[in-house]
Amino acid sequence: MDCRPRCAACCIAPSISSPIPGMPNGKPAGVPCVQLTEDLRCRLFGQPERPAVCSALRPDPDMCGDSRAQALRWLGVVERETAP
């Protein structure tokens, strides 16, 4: 499955505990990554600075659903259910 254009749900909904360029303490859930461009693309895609957790997350029909709103909801639920 390919990413949905202008979605970026996976760059907004989940928290990221590892450092990201521009976010040395990681990213809180629900906060857009500072590496998102205005057209919701990742500036670090394919770069070695991209966090491993981001590279490992792959689009999936269950996660992405039929819309950006569904993806944000699903990822938000997963975030809440896996929070410490």
Side-chain angles (χ1 to χ4, degrees):
M1 177 175 183
D2 292 329
C3 288
R4 180 179 294 112
R6 299 191 54 81
C7 178
C10 60
C11 302
I12 298 169
S15 60
I16 298 174
S17 58
S18 59
I20 300 166
M23 299 181 104
N25 297 316
K27 185 192 89 56
V31 174
C33 178
V34 298
Q35 296 301 328
L36 274 177
T37 64
E38 287 183 21
D39 62 347
L40 300 177
R41 295 169 90 40
C42 177
R43 286 184 185 92
L44 300 177
F45 192 85
Q47 302 298 315
E49 307 91 326
R50 188 174 183 216
V53 67
C54 298
S55 297
L57 186 61
R58 303 281 187 213
D60 176 87
D62 289 335
M63 176 177 73
C64 299
D66 293 325
S67 68
R68 179 177 192 253
Q70 283 184 348
L72 284 165
R73 243 186 332 272
W74 190 90
L75 286 162
V77 168
V78 170
E79 177 68 29
R80 287 187 296 280
E81 289 179 355
T82 60

